[in-house]
Each structure stands twice: as structure tokens, then as C-alpha cells.
Amino acid sequence: MQGLTARPLVNRLRRRAERQRLIARGIRRRNALRPVAIRTGQIAREDILCLATLRDERARLPYFLDYYRNLGVRHFLMVDNASRDGSSDYLRVQPDVSLWWTDHSYKGARFGMDWINWLLLRHGRGHWCLTVDPDEFLVYPHMEHRPLSALTSWLDATGRRSFPAMLLDMYPKGPIEDAICAEGQNPFDVARFFDPANYSIQKNPYFGNLWIQGGPRTRAFFTHDPLSGPALNKIPLVKWSARYAYVSSTHMLLPRVLNLVYDEDGGEQVSGCLLHAKFLSSFTTKSAEELDRRQHYGNSQEYRAYHAGLHQGVQLWCSESREFRDWRQLEDLGLISRGNWA
């Protein structure tokens, strides 16, 4: 009995030490970031912030910024990891963007999360902070007539400090290399389809988060080893505190309580989706480049699978694919929930 009682305490102490270590890593890695255009003095007390790390995403940026501006994001904190396509030149003149540049290793910074943890610690405290990639677009219940501030106000009123969103891979009907998206265009005019099912969910007992896998990437690129497919669970929206840290991308955080974004008693909590605009024509070039750079998790194992699949002419559309309409469609499919946010 004594051993059973001691184990939760040991785990709590380990998680606390890990959280402190991650915060310290972020502080140390701050010197890798060179300020380019810093406008953080404009941030008001109630502003919702958006954070992102990017590399060579110039064509995506106009739509990305406008999408989140329209949702109610008031300031963007962006890290450019040595882009060569003019991304920094574009971002540095945006009036609501603070920009840092670095040529340090993305992998060495825990795939950019050390940089993000530092910016969250320095500028995010007390703010609702949305951490996403430039190809991720948040969808949540009632979004057509309720801004993001309505959601965060409700989360505040109900005592919640984090909001989950499953990554939903979007893809075209036809070859990925033919899915051309013009600069500033809505990528989901081109990549309009998604998998309505084919997802598995497990609970991580140590961190308490859900681990979701499946969808078109597992179906097409990880058929022979589904458990090696990418994780789709994300907690991108958090009311930040100096005591918090992301552990692995935005898949999970510490303290552990921030990961408990689901109801274990048969009910549902409010949740969203991140529409993932990865599979456009630019992905063919991008996957080859990232394979060469070897800056991604597991020695770029994921990009090895992408490169091999693209070389074989893999197409993601199938007879079960659904064309995206709106958040209500996703709710009907059980992919998001309004919970008790009426």
C-alpha cells in the first residue's frame, strides 16, 4: 500500500522538475532569437495573442494573418527560422506582428518549442495564447457569429484555462502536386476534403492528455505501422501563466491539469479542430527539403514516409472522404463539441 501511495507523489515531483527544466531551457534559448520588428508594447491587457514558428511560408502568410485577425487575434508573435523566400520582409511591416529571426537548429530547440515557451513566458502571461503552425486554422463552435474573445470569456467564466482542437488533415481530390493554392487564397478552396472517421484515441496516463492518431496520413503513409503515424491531439489555446510549459509541440503541457480537456464521466467538454492545410502542391518540394534538413522528430521519419508515398503517387482522396462545410458538420461527426457552451 505504501508503494501505491508513493507513486502519484513521485510522478508529481517528476512532472514538476520537468516543467521547471523546460522553462529554464526556454530562457536559455532566448539568445538564439534576434529581434527584427518588436511591437509588443502595443499589446493590451485583454488581447488574444497568436504564436508561430515558420520557415519559407511567404505564400501562406497573407491568408493566415487575415484568418486569425478576423477571429479576433490582436497580436502575432512570430519566429522566422532562417526563411529564404521573403517571409521576414513581409512580416516585419505588418503592424500587429512582432518578429524574431534565428538560424539556430529547429531540432535543437525541441522543434521550435523552446523559442515558443520563452515568448509565452516573456509576453504571454495573463493572455489567452493561440500557438499554431502557419498551415493550421482553428475552427470552433459558433464561430460564424462569436469571435474568439467570446470563447475565451466563457472559458474564463467556467474556470478553464486550456482548449483542445484535433488536427484535421485536409486534402484535395486528385494528385497533391496539382493542388495549387495562390498567395492569399483560402487553402480550403483547394484542399476541401477530410476523413470523417478512422481515428484512434488513447489516454497518456503520465501526462493525462489524449493521444489521437489516424486520418489520411496514417491511412496513406503509415499503413504498415499505424502507431508511428503523427499525433493529431493539440491544445493550442491556453490562458498562459509563468508556471506553464509546452512539453511536445502543442500536444501536451505541464502542469498536467491543462491536459485534462475532456470529460471522463460520459459528458462532453467544448472542443474545436485545427484544419490542416499541409497537402497542397508546395508539399512535394517541402517534404524533400525537410528530409534533407533532418530537423524533424525521429530523424525525420515522418518525412521519409511522405517522400516515399509521394514518389509512388499516393492520393489521399477516397470514397469515404467528406467535403468540408462548417463546424456543425464536424460536430455531427463527433470531431468537435460545443459541450455546455450553448
Side-chain angles (χ1 to χ4, degrees):
M1 289 297 293
Q2 184 177 0
L4 294 175
T5 304
R7 177 55 56 183
L9 176 60
V10 169
N11 285 340
R12 283 199 299 271
L13 293 174
R14 285 177 176 170
R15 286 190 293 264
R16 180 185 299 174
E18 174 70 0
R19 173 167 53 88
Q20 293 170 344
R21 184 184 71 83
L22 292 173
I23 292 171
R25 275 185 65 110
I27 293 171
R28 290 196 302 272
R29 295 300 193 279
R30 73 189 187 279
N31 294 324
L33 302 179
R34 179 170 65 83
V36 177
I38 308 304
R39 303 181 178 93
T40 51
Q42 302 174 5
I43 297 174
R45 182 176 178 179
E46 300 299 325
D47 282 353
I48 297 173
L49 311 181
C50 178
L51 296 93
T53 300
L54 64 113
R55 177 182 169 88
D56 292 338
E57 298 286 7
R58 172 66 180 84
R60 294 185 185 272
L61 293 174
Y63 184 81
F64 174 85
L65 293 175
D66 284 344
Y67 183 88
Y68 283 112
R69 285 167 179 154
N70 290 334
L71 285 189
V73 169
R74 291 293 172 257
H75 202 85
F76 297 84
L77 307 172
M78 313 282 282
V79 176
D80 184 349
N81 187 198
S83 292
R84 299 165 297 175
D85 67 346
S87 291
S88 281
D89 291 336
Y90 179 80
L91 289 170
R92 72 192 304 166
V93 299
Q94 301 301 312
D96 52 357
V97 172
S98 290
L99 175 65
W100 291 261
W101 186 91
T102 182
D103 60 358
H104 284 235
S105 168
Y106 179 74
K107 183 177 181 180
R110 290 194 315 112
F111 314 105
M113 294 317 295
D114 287 337
W115 304 327
I116 292 296
N117 274 339
W118 161 246
L119 294 179
L120 286 165
L121 176 66
R122 179 67 180 85
H123 302 289
R125 289 172 293 175
H127 292 273
W128 281 97
C129 297
L130 179 68
T131 301
V132 291
D133 290 336
D135 59 3
E136 295 176 351
F137 298 86
L138 181 65
V139 171
Y140 59 90
H142 310 297
M143 64 179 294
E144 75 279 15
H145 52 80
R146 297 186 194 177
L148 196 54
S149 58
L151 173 60
T152 57
S153 293
W154 183 82
L155 293 168
D156 276 328
T158 55
R160 296 175 180 149
R161 299 186 66 85
S162 54
F163 176 82
M166 189 184 90
L167 195 66
L168 189 66
D169 287 317
M170 305 292 294
Y171 49 85
K173 185 175 184 179
I176 294 171
E177 58 268 25
D178 292 344
I180 299 171
C181 183
E183 180 176 319
Q185 182 183 4
N186 181 348
F188 307 115
D189 289 342
V190 180
R192 307 193 313 272
F193 297 91
F194 66 95
D195 280 17
N198 184 36
Y199 300 101
S200 65
I201 302 178
Q202 302 178 59
K203 181 179 176 181
N204 182 322
Y206 183 74
F207 287 105
N209 62 299
L210 299 180
W211 197 255
I212 304 174
Q213 293 176 287
R217 280 189 282 176
T218 295
R219 172 168 57 80
F221 298 109
F222 298 92
T223 306
H224 301 298
D225 187 11
L227 293 180
S228 67
L232 306 177
N233 49 287
K234 298 239 175 177
I235 306 176
L237 184 62
V238 180
K239 182 71 170 286
W240 205 259
S241 162
R243 300 181 298 107
Y244 296 173
Y246 275 115
V247 178
S248 173
S249 182
T250 55
H251 300 310
M252 51 200 176
L253 302 104
L254 287 171
R256 185 177 186 270
V257 67
L258 297 171
N259 300 321
L260 306 181
V261 290
Y262 49 88
D263 194 324
E264 293 187 293
D265 297 323
E268 291 185 352
Q269 290 194 26
V270 65
S271 64
C273 273
L274 287 170
L275 302 188
H276 193 201
K278 192 179 193 75
F279 296 108
L280 300 170
S281 59
S282 58
F283 180 65
T284 304
T285 303
K286 190 86 169 177
S287 64
E289 178 187 349
E290 295 302 331
L291 184 59
D292 289 339
R293 290 178 69 226
R294 299 182 186 275
Q295 287 289 298
H296 287 269
Y297 181 77
N299 198 27
S300 297
Q301 176 184 345
E302 186 177 330
Y303 279 88
R304 291 175 184 274
Y306 296 151
H307 188 72
L310 291 170
H311 185 72
Q312 295 168 10
V314 163
Q315 295 189 29
L316 299 180
W317 190 90
C318 69
S319 60
E320 300 301 317
S321 298
R322 298 284 181 91
E323 186 170 4
F324 176 73
R325 295 196 310 271
D326 55 24
W327 69 266
R328 288 183 175 82
Q329 175 195 30
L330 301 183
E331 182 183 43
D332 290 342
L333 292 168
L335 298 177
I336 72 173
S337 173
R338 72 182 84 182
N340 59 346
W341 189 35

